Amino acid sequence: MPRVILNPHMRLCFTAVLALLAIGLRPAAGTPKCPAQDELLAKAEIVVEARVKSLSIGESGFIGTKDSPTRWIRADLEIKRVIKGKFLGNEATVYGTLYPPGPFMELTAMALSYGFDGHDTFEWELSRHEIGDDVALFSMNACNYRKFPDWAVGPR
């Protein structure tokens, strides 16, 4: 028998992995649950109706700590109209990371449907996060208000 399996620390690790697989732990299992969408809409400052012009995953170019992710998801949004609040632009770029998971399946479906008028828009809260002096970004990982068409939301 290999020595690794006899090591008590490795046995504990294998047991933990098997237990997590049996439980079906998801990446967001340790994160707090977001409030209901109607509560998020009531608290939202800026809500827009938008279309996904492009969706990509790649190196962000942001310099962070050694533990921060370098690969980010980027969604370029075309703003059709402002539903709540004030937003002067007609485009916005939203960034997110893999953890905690955001609505990537829905955004992918919306990106694929770009150009099918009447079927390619959704509601999205533009949640601005300051990351430095005069630098901010819109995040997709926060508990944002979002309302996608029924066909774009898969079973959970």
Side-chain angles (χ1 to χ4, degrees):
M1 186 169 269
R3 286 182 172 227
V4 173
I5 296 175
L6 297 177
N7 184 334
H9 297 291
M10 290 305 293
R11 278 194 308 229
L12 179 63
C13 289
F14 286 132
T15 305
V17 168
L18 288 174
L20 291 175
L21 289 172
I23 295 170
L25 185 64
R26 295 186 182 102
T31 59
K33 195 161 181 74
C34 291
Q37 289 296 312
D38 56 341
E39 291 179 42
L40 292 174
L41 176 59
K43 293 179 183 177
E45 293 181 21
I46 303 170
V47 177
V48 297
E49 180 180 5
R51 298 164 60 180
V52 178
K53 287 180 17 178
S54 68
L55 184 68
S56 61
I57 300 172
E59 296 299 322
S60 66
F62 293 124
I63 299 172
T65 63
K66 68 176 186 170
D67 295 331
S68 62
T70 59
R71 297 182 60 76
W72 285 36
I73 290 87
R74 174 186 167 139
D76 294 314
L77 304 180
E78 176 182 311
I79 309 301
K80 300 301 286 180
R81 69 183 176 102
V82 177
I83 297 171
K84 182 179 178 184
K86 291 184 182 181
F87 186 76
L88 300 178
N90 58 1
E91 293 183 351
T93 302
V94 179
Y95 292 94
T97 60
L98 183 59
Y99 299 107
F104 305 124
M105 300 284 281
E106 293 88 346
L107 287 172
T108 302
M110 298 312 296
L112 290 171
S113 69
Y114 183 85
F116 291 111
D117 287 334
H119 301 287
D120 62 348
T121 62
F122 59 97
E123 295 178 13
W124 185 269
E125 176 188 358
L126 292 176
S127 178
R128 183 179 168 98
H129 296 277
E130 302 290 329
I131 58 173
D133 295 335
D134 299 326
V135 179
L137 58 83
F138 296 118
S139 171
M140 69 175 69
N141 291 99
C143 287
N144 306 41
Y145 168 76
R146 54 187 175 253
K147 182 180 177 187
F148 292 98
D150 290 338
W151 64 266
V153 179
R156 298 273 177 198

Short mmCIF file of all heavy atoms in Angstrom, two decimals, residues 58-72 96-99:
data_model
loop_
_atom_site.label_atom_id
_atom_site.label_comp_id
_atom_site.label_asym_id
_atom_site.label_seq_id
_atom_site.Cartn_x
_atom_site.Cartn_y
_atom_site.Cartn_z
N GLY A 58 -10.98 36.38 -19.80
CA GLY A 58 -9.56 36.55 -20.09
C GLY A 58 -8.85 37.27 -18.96
O GLY A 58 -9.42 37.54 -17.90
N GLU A 59 -7.61 37.57 -19.21
CA GLU A 59 -6.80 38.29 -18.22
C GLU A 59 -7.35 39.70 -18.06
O GLU A 59 -7.61 40.39 -19.04
CB GLU A 59 -5.33 38.34 -18.65
CG GLU A 59 -4.67 36.97 -18.73
CD GLU A 59 -4.64 36.25 -17.40
OE1 GLU A 59 -4.43 36.90 -16.36
OE2 GLU A 59 -4.84 35.02 -17.40
N SER A 60 -7.54 40.11 -16.83
CA SER A 60 -8.18 41.39 -16.56
C SER A 60 -7.24 42.57 -16.75
O SER A 60 -7.67 43.65 -17.10
CB SER A 60 -8.73 41.42 -15.14
OG SER A 60 -7.66 41.38 -14.21
N GLY A 61 -5.97 42.37 -16.47
CA GLY A 61 -5.03 43.48 -16.51
C GLY A 61 -4.96 44.21 -15.18
O GLY A 61 -4.12 45.08 -14.99
N PHE A 62 -5.86 43.88 -14.24
CA PHE A 62 -5.82 44.50 -12.93
C PHE A 62 -4.71 43.89 -12.11
O PHE A 62 -4.48 42.68 -12.16
CB PHE A 62 -7.16 44.31 -12.19
CG PHE A 62 -8.31 45.03 -12.83
CD1 PHE A 62 -9.44 44.34 -13.22
CD2 PHE A 62 -8.27 46.39 -13.03
CE1 PHE A 62 -10.51 44.99 -13.80
CE2 PHE A 62 -9.32 47.06 -13.62
CZ PHE A 62 -10.44 46.36 -14.00
N ILE A 63 -4.04 44.72 -11.35
CA ILE A 63 -2.99 44.22 -10.46
C ILE A 63 -3.60 44.13 -9.07
O ILE A 63 -4.07 45.12 -8.52
CB ILE A 63 -1.78 45.17 -10.45
CG1 ILE A 63 -1.19 45.26 -11.85
CG2 ILE A 63 -0.74 44.70 -9.44
CD1 ILE A 63 -0.11 46.31 -12.00
N GLY A 64 -3.61 42.93 -8.53
CA GLY A 64 -4.21 42.72 -7.22
C GLY A 64 -3.24 42.00 -6.31
O GLY A 64 -2.03 41.98 -6.54
N THR A 65 -3.78 41.38 -5.29
CA THR A 65 -2.96 40.61 -4.39
C THR A 65 -2.61 39.28 -5.05
O THR A 65 -3.18 38.92 -6.08
CB THR A 65 -3.71 40.33 -3.07
OG1 THR A 65 -4.86 39.53 -3.36
CG2 THR A 65 -4.13 41.62 -2.40
N LYS A 66 -1.74 38.53 -4.44
CA LYS A 66 -1.33 37.25 -5.04
C LYS A 66 -2.49 36.24 -5.03
O LYS A 66 -2.50 35.32 -5.82
CB LYS A 66 -0.12 36.67 -4.33
CG LYS A 66 -0.37 36.22 -2.91
CD LYS A 66 0.85 35.58 -2.32
CE LYS A 66 0.51 35.00 -0.95
NZ LYS A 66 1.55 34.19 -0.44
N ASP A 67 -3.47 36.44 -4.15
CA ASP A 67 -4.61 35.52 -4.08
C ASP A 67 -5.79 35.95 -4.95
O ASP A 67 -6.74 35.20 -5.09
CB ASP A 67 -5.09 35.39 -2.63
CG ASP A 67 -4.04 34.75 -1.74
OD1 ASP A 67 -3.24 33.95 -2.26
OD2 ASP A 67 -4.02 35.05 -0.55
N SER A 68 -5.74 37.15 -5.51
CA SER A 68 -6.88 37.60 -6.31
C SER A 68 -6.83 36.97 -7.70
O SER A 68 -5.76 36.73 -8.25
CB SER A 68 -6.90 39.13 -6.41
OG SER A 68 -5.73 39.59 -7.05
N PRO A 69 -8.00 36.70 -8.26
CA PRO A 69 -8.03 36.05 -9.58
C PRO A 69 -7.53 36.99 -10.67
O PRO A 69 -7.76 38.20 -10.60
CB PRO A 69 -9.50 35.72 -9.78
CG PRO A 69 -10.24 36.63 -8.86
CD PRO A 69 -9.33 36.94 -7.73
N THR A 70 -6.85 36.44 -11.65
CA THR A 70 -6.38 37.25 -12.77
C THR A 70 -7.29 37.13 -13.97
O THR A 70 -7.33 38.00 -14.81
CB THR A 70 -4.95 36.84 -13.18
OG1 THR A 70 -4.95 35.46 -13.56
CG2 THR A 70 -3.98 37.06 -12.04
N ARG A 71 -8.02 36.03 -14.08
CA ARG A 71 -8.96 35.85 -15.19
C ARG A 71 -10.34 36.32 -14.77
O ARG A 71 -10.88 35.86 -13.77
CB ARG A 71 -8.98 34.39 -15.64
CG ARG A 71 -7.63 33.96 -16.17
CD ARG A 71 -7.62 32.54 -16.67
NE ARG A 71 -8.54 32.27 -17.75
CZ ARG A 71 -8.34 32.62 -19.03
NH1 ARG A 71 -7.26 33.27 -19.36
NH2 ARG A 71 -9.22 32.31 -19.95
N TRP A 72 -10.88 37.24 -15.53
CA TRP A 72 -12.18 37.82 -15.21
C TRP A 72 -13.12 37.64 -16.39
O TRP A 72 -12.70 37.46 -17.53
CB TRP A 72 -12.04 39.31 -14.92
CG TRP A 72 -11.45 39.62 -13.58
CD1 TRP A 72 -10.47 38.94 -12.92
CD2 TRP A 72 -11.77 40.71 -12.75
NE1 TRP A 72 -10.18 39.55 -11.73
CE2 TRP A 72 -10.95 40.64 -11.61
CE3 TRP A 72 -12.66 41.76 -12.87
CZ2 TRP A 72 -11.03 41.58 -10.58
CZ3 TRP A 72 -12.72 42.69 -11.85
CH2 TRP A 72 -11.92 42.58 -10.72
N GLY A 96 -16.72 40.50 -13.71
CA GLY A 96 -17.00 39.53 -12.67
C GLY A 96 -15.93 38.47 -12.63
O GLY A 96 -15.14 38.31 -13.57
N THR A 97 -15.89 37.74 -11.54
CA THR A 97 -14.96 36.62 -11.39
C THR A 97 -15.78 35.35 -11.30
O THR A 97 -17.00 35.39 -11.16
CB THR A 97 -14.10 36.77 -10.13
OG1 THR A 97 -14.96 36.80 -8.99
CG2 THR A 97 -13.26 38.03 -10.18
N LEU A 98 -15.11 34.23 -11.36
CA LEU A 98 -15.80 32.95 -11.30
C LEU A 98 -16.42 32.71 -9.93
O LEU A 98 -17.48 32.13 -9.81
CB LEU A 98 -14.84 31.82 -11.64
CG LEU A 98 -15.42 30.42 -11.69
CD1 LEU A 98 -16.54 30.35 -12.72
CD2 LEU A 98 -14.35 29.41 -12.02
N TYR A 99 -15.77 33.20 -8.87
CA TYR A 99 -16.28 33.00 -7.51
C TYR A 99 -16.48 34.33 -6.84
O TYR A 99 -15.57 35.14 -6.86
CB TYR A 99 -15.32 32.15 -6.69
CG TYR A 99 -15.13 30.79 -7.28
CD1 TYR A 99 -13.96 30.45 -7.92
CD2 TYR A 99 -16.15 29.86 -7.22
CE1 TYR A 99 -13.79 29.20 -8.48
CE2 TYR A 99 -15.99 28.61 -7.78
CZ TYR A 99 -14.81 28.28 -8.40
OH TYR A 99 -14.66 27.06 -8.96
#
